[in-house]
PDB file of all heavy atoms in Angstrom:
ATOM      1  N   GLU A 560      -8.628  10.137  -0.919  1.00 90.00           N
ATOM      2  CA  GLU A 560      -7.660  10.494   0.114  1.00 90.00           C
ATOM      3  C   GLU A 560      -7.640   9.387   1.162  1.00 90.00           C
ATOM      4  O   GLU A 560      -8.637   8.673   1.338  1.00 90.00           O
ATOM      5  CB  GLU A 560      -8.021  11.831   0.770  1.00 90.00           C
ATOM      6  CG  GLU A 560      -7.978  13.024  -0.174  1.00 90.00           C
ATOM      7  CD  GLU A 560      -8.395  14.319   0.500  1.00 90.00           C
ATOM      8  OE1 GLU A 560      -8.876  14.256   1.655  1.00 90.00           O
ATOM      9  OE2 GLU A 560      -8.248  15.388  -0.116  1.00 90.00           O
ATOM     10  N   VAL A 561      -6.526   9.268   1.861  1.00 92.00           N
ATOM     11  CA  VAL A 561      -6.417   8.231   2.899  1.00 92.00           C
ATOM     12  C   VAL A 561      -6.013   8.822   4.250  1.00 92.00           C
ATOM     13  O   VAL A 561      -5.688   8.086   5.173  1.00 92.00           O
ATOM     14  CB  VAL A 561      -5.405   7.133   2.487  1.00 92.00           C
ATOM     15  CG1 VAL A 561      -5.950   6.311   1.341  1.00 92.00           C
ATOM     16  CG2 VAL A 561      -4.047   7.736   2.125  1.00 92.00           C
ATOM     17  N   ALA A 562      -6.024  10.151   4.366  1.00 91.00           N
ATOM     18  CA  ALA A 562      -5.624  10.769   5.635  1.00 91.00           C
ATOM     19  C   ALA A 562      -6.536  10.331   6.772  1.00 91.00           C
ATOM     20  O   ALA A 562      -6.068  10.042   7.878  1.00 91.00           O
ATOM     21  CB  ALA A 562      -5.616  12.297   5.498  1.00 91.00           C
ATOM     22  N   ASP A 563      -7.852  10.281   6.533  1.00 89.00           N
ATOM     23  CA  ASP A 563      -8.783   9.900   7.599  1.00 89.00           C
ATOM     24  C   ASP A 563      -8.567   8.478   8.098  1.00 89.00           C
ATOM     25  O   ASP A 563      -8.413   8.269   9.305  1.00 89.00           O
ATOM     26  CB  ASP A 563     -10.225  10.081   7.125  1.00 89.00           C
ATOM     27  CG  ASP A 563     -10.682  11.527   7.237  1.00 89.00           C
ATOM     28  OD1 ASP A 563     -10.064  12.284   8.009  1.00 89.00           O
ATOM     29  OD2 ASP A 563     -11.646  11.898   6.551  1.00 89.00           O
ATOM     30  N   PRO A 564      -8.570   7.483   7.214  1.00 90.00           N
ATOM     31  CA  PRO A 564      -8.366   6.129   7.742  1.00 90.00           C
ATOM     32  C   PRO A 564      -7.002   5.938   8.392  1.00 90.00           C
ATOM     33  O   PRO A 564      -6.884   5.235   9.394  1.00 90.00           O
ATOM     34  CB  PRO A 564      -8.541   5.230   6.517  1.00 90.00           C
ATOM     35  CG  PRO A 564      -8.434   6.116   5.337  1.00 90.00           C
ATOM     36  CD  PRO A 564      -8.908   7.456   5.779  1.00 90.00           C
ATOM     37  N   LEU A 565      -5.960   6.557   7.838  1.00 93.00           N
ATOM     38  CA  LEU A 565      -4.643   6.418   8.461  1.00 93.00           C
ATOM     39  C   LEU A 565      -4.608   7.100   9.828  1.00 93.00           C
ATOM     40  O   LEU A 565      -4.013   6.588  10.778  1.00 93.00           O
ATOM     41  CB  LEU A 565      -3.565   7.009   7.552  1.00 93.00           C
ATOM     42  CG  LEU A 565      -3.186   6.164   6.335  1.00 93.00           C
ATOM     43  CD1 LEU A 565      -2.213   6.915   5.443  1.00 93.00           C
ATOM     44  CD2 LEU A 565      -2.580   4.831   6.750  1.00 93.00           C
ATOM     45  N   GLN A 566      -5.247   8.246   9.921  1.00 91.00           N
ATOM     46  CA  GLN A 566      -5.270   8.936  11.208  1.00 91.00           C
ATOM     47  C   GLN A 566      -5.947   8.095  12.278  1.00 91.00           C
ATOM     48  O   GLN A 566      -5.404   7.872  13.362  1.00 91.00           O
ATOM     49  CB  GLN A 566      -5.996  10.273  11.087  1.00 91.00           C
ATOM     50  CG  GLN A 566      -6.145  10.995  12.421  1.00 91.00           C
ATOM     51  CD  GLN A 566      -7.276  12.003  12.414  1.00 91.00           C
ATOM     52  OE1 GLN A 566      -7.836  12.312  11.375  1.00 91.00           O
ATOM     53  NE2 GLN A 566      -7.624  12.509  13.575  1.00 91.00           N
ATOM     54  N   ARG A 567      -7.131   7.581  11.943  1.00 87.00           N
ATOM     55  CA  ARG A 567      -7.942   6.932  12.963  1.00 87.00           C
ATOM     56  C   ARG A 567      -7.505   5.496  13.251  1.00 87.00           C
ATOM     57  O   ARG A 567      -7.571   5.047  14.393  1.00 87.00           O
ATOM     58  CB  ARG A 567      -9.416   6.958  12.552  1.00 87.00           C
ATOM     59  CG  ARG A 567      -9.984   8.370  12.447  1.00 87.00           C
ATOM     60  CD  ARG A 567     -11.460   8.336  12.077  1.00 87.00           C
ATOM     61  NE  ARG A 567     -11.976   9.677  11.894  1.00 87.00           N
ATOM     62  CZ  ARG A 567     -12.406  10.453  12.889  1.00 87.00           C
ATOM     63  NH1 ARG A 567     -12.374   9.994  14.131  1.00 87.00           N
ATOM     64  NH2 ARG A 567     -12.862  11.662  12.658  1.00 87.00           N
ATOM     65  N   LEU A 568      -7.084   4.786  12.225  1.00 89.00           N
ATOM     66  CA  LEU A 568      -6.811   3.361  12.395  1.00 89.00           C
ATOM     67  C   LEU A 568      -5.334   3.044  12.583  1.00 89.00           C
ATOM     68  O   LEU A 568      -4.997   1.933  12.972  1.00 89.00           O
ATOM     69  CB  LEU A 568      -7.362   2.585  11.196  1.00 89.00           C
ATOM     70  CG  LEU A 568      -8.874   2.719  10.987  1.00 89.00           C
ATOM     71  CD1 LEU A 568      -9.311   2.004   9.719  1.00 89.00           C
ATOM     72  CD2 LEU A 568      -9.633   2.195  12.176  1.00 89.00           C
ATOM     73  N   LEU A 569      -4.479   4.027  12.314  1.00 93.00           N
ATOM     74  CA  LEU A 569      -3.049   3.797  12.515  1.00 93.00           C
ATOM     75  C   LEU A 569      -2.523   4.718  13.605  1.00 93.00           C
ATOM     76  O   LEU A 569      -2.120   4.271  14.676  1.00 93.00           O
ATOM     77  CB  LEU A 569      -2.290   4.017  11.200  1.00 93.00           C
ATOM     78  CG  LEU A 569      -0.858   3.486  11.194  1.00 93.00           C
ATOM     79  CD1 LEU A 569      -0.855   1.960  11.133  1.00 93.00           C
ATOM     80  CD2 LEU A 569      -0.081   4.040  10.007  1.00 93.00           C
ATOM     81  N   PHE A 570      -2.568   6.030  13.369  1.00 93.00           N
ATOM     82  CA  PHE A 570      -1.922   6.958  14.299  1.00 93.00           C
ATOM     83  C   PHE A 570      -2.682   7.138  15.604  1.00 93.00           C
ATOM     84  O   PHE A 570      -2.094   7.489  16.618  1.00 93.00           O
ATOM     85  CB  PHE A 570      -1.717   8.311  13.617  1.00 93.00           C
ATOM     86  CG  PHE A 570      -0.713   8.262  12.499  1.00 93.00           C
ATOM     87  CD1 PHE A 570      -1.119   8.247  11.181  1.00 93.00           C
ATOM     88  CD2 PHE A 570       0.643   8.203  12.765  1.00 93.00           C
ATOM     89  CE1 PHE A 570      -0.197   8.181  10.149  1.00 93.00           C
ATOM     90  CE2 PHE A 570       1.572   8.133  11.747  1.00 93.00           C
ATOM     91  CZ  PHE A 570       1.153   8.123  10.435  1.00 93.00           C
ATOM     92  N   GLU A 571      -3.996   6.926  15.602  1.00 89.00           N
ATOM     93  CA  GLU A 571      -4.737   6.999  16.856  1.00 89.00           C
ATOM     94  C   GLU A 571      -4.819   5.641  17.551  1.00 89.00           C
ATOM     95  O   GLU A 571      -5.356   5.553  18.650  1.00 89.00           O
ATOM     96  CB  GLU A 571      -6.150   7.535  16.613  1.00 89.00           C
ATOM     97  CG  GLU A 571      -6.168   9.025  16.331  1.00 89.00           C
ATOM     98  CD  GLU A 571      -7.574   9.601  16.340  1.00 89.00           C
ATOM     99  OE1 GLU A 571      -8.538   8.813  16.470  1.00 89.00           O
ATOM    100  OE2 GLU A 571      -7.700  10.821  16.204  1.00 89.00           O
ATOM    101  N   THR A 572      -4.303   4.617  16.909  1.00 89.00           N
ATOM    102  CA  THR A 572      -4.393   3.266  17.470  1.00 89.00           C
ATOM    103  C   THR A 572      -3.045   2.767  17.972  1.00 89.00           C
ATOM    104  O   THR A 572      -2.962   2.185  19.055  1.00 89.00           O
ATOM    105  CB  THR A 572      -4.953   2.306  16.405  1.00 89.00           C
ATOM    106  OG1 THR A 572      -6.262   2.751  16.025  1.00 89.00           O
ATOM    107  CG2 THR A 572      -5.041   0.891  16.936  1.00 89.00           C
ATOM    108  N   TRP A 573      -1.997   2.992  17.202  1.00 93.00           N
ATOM    109  CA  TRP A 573      -0.658   2.585  17.633  1.00 93.00           C
ATOM    110  C   TRP A 573      -0.061   3.710  18.474  1.00 93.00           C
ATOM    111  O   TRP A 573      -0.045   4.866  18.051  1.00 93.00           O
ATOM    112  CB  TRP A 573       0.221   2.290  16.425  1.00 93.00           C
ATOM    113  CG  TRP A 573      -0.216   1.074  15.657  1.00 93.00           C
ATOM    114  CD1 TRP A 573      -1.344   0.938  14.905  1.00 93.00           C
ATOM    115  CD2 TRP A 573       0.470  -0.178  15.581  1.00 93.00           C
ATOM    116  NE1 TRP A 573      -1.418  -0.335  14.364  1.00 93.00           N
ATOM    117  CE2 TRP A 573      -0.318  -1.031  14.759  1.00 93.00           C
ATOM    118  CE3 TRP A 573       1.661  -0.658  16.109  1.00 93.00           C
ATOM    119  CZ2 TRP A 573       0.071  -2.342  14.462  1.00 93.00           C
ATOM    120  CZ3 TRP A 573       2.037  -1.959  15.822  1.00 93.00           C
ATOM    121  CH2 TRP A 573       1.242  -2.785  15.007  1.00 93.00           C
ATOM    122  N   PRO A 574       0.450   3.400  19.670  1.00 93.00           N
ATOM    123  CA  PRO A 574       0.876   4.467  20.593  1.00 93.00           C
ATOM    124  C   PRO A 574       2.002   5.348  20.074  1.00 93.00           C
ATOM    125  O   PRO A 574       1.989   6.565  20.272  1.00 93.00           O
ATOM    126  CB  PRO A 574       1.323   3.691  21.843  1.00 93.00           C
ATOM    127  CG  PRO A 574       0.635   2.371  21.745  1.00 93.00           C
ATOM    128  CD  PRO A 574       0.536   2.067  20.294  1.00 93.00           C
ATOM    129  N   ARG A 575       3.005   4.764  19.427  1.00 95.00           N
ATOM    130  CA  ARG A 575       4.166   5.524  18.964  1.00 95.00           C
ATOM    131  C   ARG A 575       4.482   5.083  17.538  1.00 95.00           C
ATOM    132  O   ARG A 575       4.868   3.942  17.319  1.00 95.00           O
ATOM    133  CB  ARG A 575       5.387   5.267  19.856  1.00 95.00           C
ATOM    134  CG  ARG A 575       5.167   5.547  21.327  1.00 95.00           C
ATOM    135  CD  ARG A 575       6.235   4.866  22.170  1.00 95.00           C
ATOM    136  NE  ARG A 575       6.010   5.007  23.600  1.00 95.00           N
ATOM    137  CZ  ARG A 575       5.213   4.211  24.316  1.00 95.00           C
ATOM    138  NH1 ARG A 575       4.584   3.209  23.721  1.00 95.00           N
ATOM    139  NH2 ARG A 575       5.068   4.416  25.615  1.00 95.00           N
ATOM    140  N   VAL A 576       4.308   5.960  16.587  1.00 96.00           N
ATOM    141  CA  VAL A 576       4.595   5.662  15.191  1.00 96.00           C
ATOM    142  C   VAL A 576       5.735   6.552  14.737  1.00 96.00           C
ATOM    143  O   VAL A 576       5.624   7.780  14.775  1.00 96.00           O
ATOM    144  CB  VAL A 576       3.360   5.874  14.289  1.00 96.00           C
ATOM    145  CG1 VAL A 576       3.691   5.490  12.845  1.00 96.00           C
ATOM    146  CG2 VAL A 576       2.174   5.058  14.790  1.00 96.00           C
ATOM    147  N   ILE A 577       6.842   5.940  14.329  1.00 97.00           N
ATOM    148  CA  ILE A 577       8.023   6.671  13.867  1.00 97.00           C
ATOM    149  C   ILE A 577       8.071   6.563  12.347  1.00 97.00           C
ATOM    150  O   ILE A 577       8.295   5.467  11.808  1.00 97.00           O
ATOM    151  CB  ILE A 577       9.327   6.095  14.464  1.00 97.00           C
ATOM    152  CG1 ILE A 577       9.171   5.841  15.967  1.00 97.00           C
ATOM    153  CG2 ILE A 577      10.497   7.007  14.150  1.00 97.00           C
ATOM    154  CD1 ILE A 577       8.920   7.065  16.785  1.00 97.00           C
ATOM    155  N   CYS A 578       7.843   7.659  11.638  1.00 97.00           N
ATOM    156  CA  CYS A 578       7.888   7.684  10.176  1.00 97.00           C
ATOM    157  C   CYS A 578       9.232   8.256   9.739  1.00 97.00           C
ATOM    158  O   CYS A 578       9.614   9.345  10.182  1.00 97.00           O
ATOM    159  CB  CYS A 578       6.768   8.551   9.613  1.00 97.00           C
ATOM    160  SG  CYS A 578       5.121   7.936   9.967  1.00 97.00           S
ATOM    161  N   THR A 579       9.925   7.542   8.875  1.00 96.00           N
ATOM    162  CA  THR A 579      11.226   8.029   8.423  1.00 96.00           C
ATOM    163  C   THR A 579      11.452   7.683   6.961  1.00 96.00           C
ATOM    164  O   THR A 579      10.908   6.701   6.444  1.00 96.00           O
ATOM    165  CB  THR A 579      12.367   7.454   9.285  1.00 96.00           C
ATOM    166  OG1 THR A 579      13.608   8.039   8.881  1.00 96.00           O
ATOM    167  CG2 THR A 579      12.456   5.939   9.144  1.00 96.00           C
ATOM    168  N   SER A 580      12.219   8.517   6.293  1.00 92.00           N
ATOM    169  CA  SER A 580      12.579   8.330   4.892  1.00 92.00           C
ATOM    170  C   SER A 580      13.591   9.404   4.541  1.00 92.00           C
ATOM    171  O   SER A 580      13.740  10.400   5.253  1.00 92.00           O
ATOM    172  CB  SER A 580      11.348   8.459   3.989  1.00 92.00           C
ATOM    173  OG  SER A 580      11.726   8.471   2.620  1.00 92.00           O
ATOM    174  N   ALA A 581      14.285   9.213   3.429  1.00 87.00           N
ATOM    175  CA  ALA A 581      15.182  10.257   2.942  1.00 87.00           C
ATOM    176  C   ALA A 581      14.406  11.382   2.281  1.00 87.00           C
ATOM    177  O   ALA A 581      14.944  12.477   2.088  1.00 87.00           O
ATOM    178  CB  ALA A 581      16.191   9.667   1.953  1.00 87.00           C
ATOM    179  N   THR A 582      13.140  11.143   1.936  1.00 87.00           N
ATOM    180  CA  THR A 582      12.331  12.152   1.244  1.00 87.00           C
ATOM    181  C   THR A 582      10.934  12.178   1.826  1.00 87.00           C
ATOM    182  O   THR A 582      10.070  11.403   1.426  1.00 87.00           O
ATOM    183  CB  THR A 582      12.258  11.858  -0.267  1.00 87.00           C
ATOM    184  OG1 THR A 582      11.831  10.507  -0.454  1.00 87.00           O
ATOM    185  CG2 THR A 582      13.606  12.032  -0.926  1.00 87.00           C
ATOM    186  N   LEU A 583      10.716  13.088   2.758  1.00 89.00           N
ATOM    187  CA  LEU A 583       9.390  13.292   3.325  1.00 89.00           C
ATOM    188  C   LEU A 583       8.896  14.719   3.133  1.00 89.00           C
ATOM    189  O   LEU A 583       7.693  14.960   3.150  1.00 89.00           O
ATOM    190  CB  LEU A 583       9.382  12.968   4.827  1.00 89.00           C
ATOM    191  CG  LEU A 583       9.522  11.501   5.229  1.00 89.00           C
ATOM    192  CD1 LEU A 583       9.548  11.380   6.746  1.00 89.00           C
ATOM    193  CD2 LEU A 583       8.406  10.662   4.645  1.00 89.00           C
TER     194      LEU A 583
END
Side-chain angles (χ1 to χ4, degrees):
E560 296 178 351
V561 290
D563 279 340
L565 285 174
Q566 176 202 350
R567 297 182 184 276
L568 300 176
L569 194 73
F570 292 103
E571 286 190 355
T572 299
W573 292 69
R575 304 162 185 84
V576 183
I577 314 297
C578 296
T579 185
S580 172
T582 52
L583 290 178

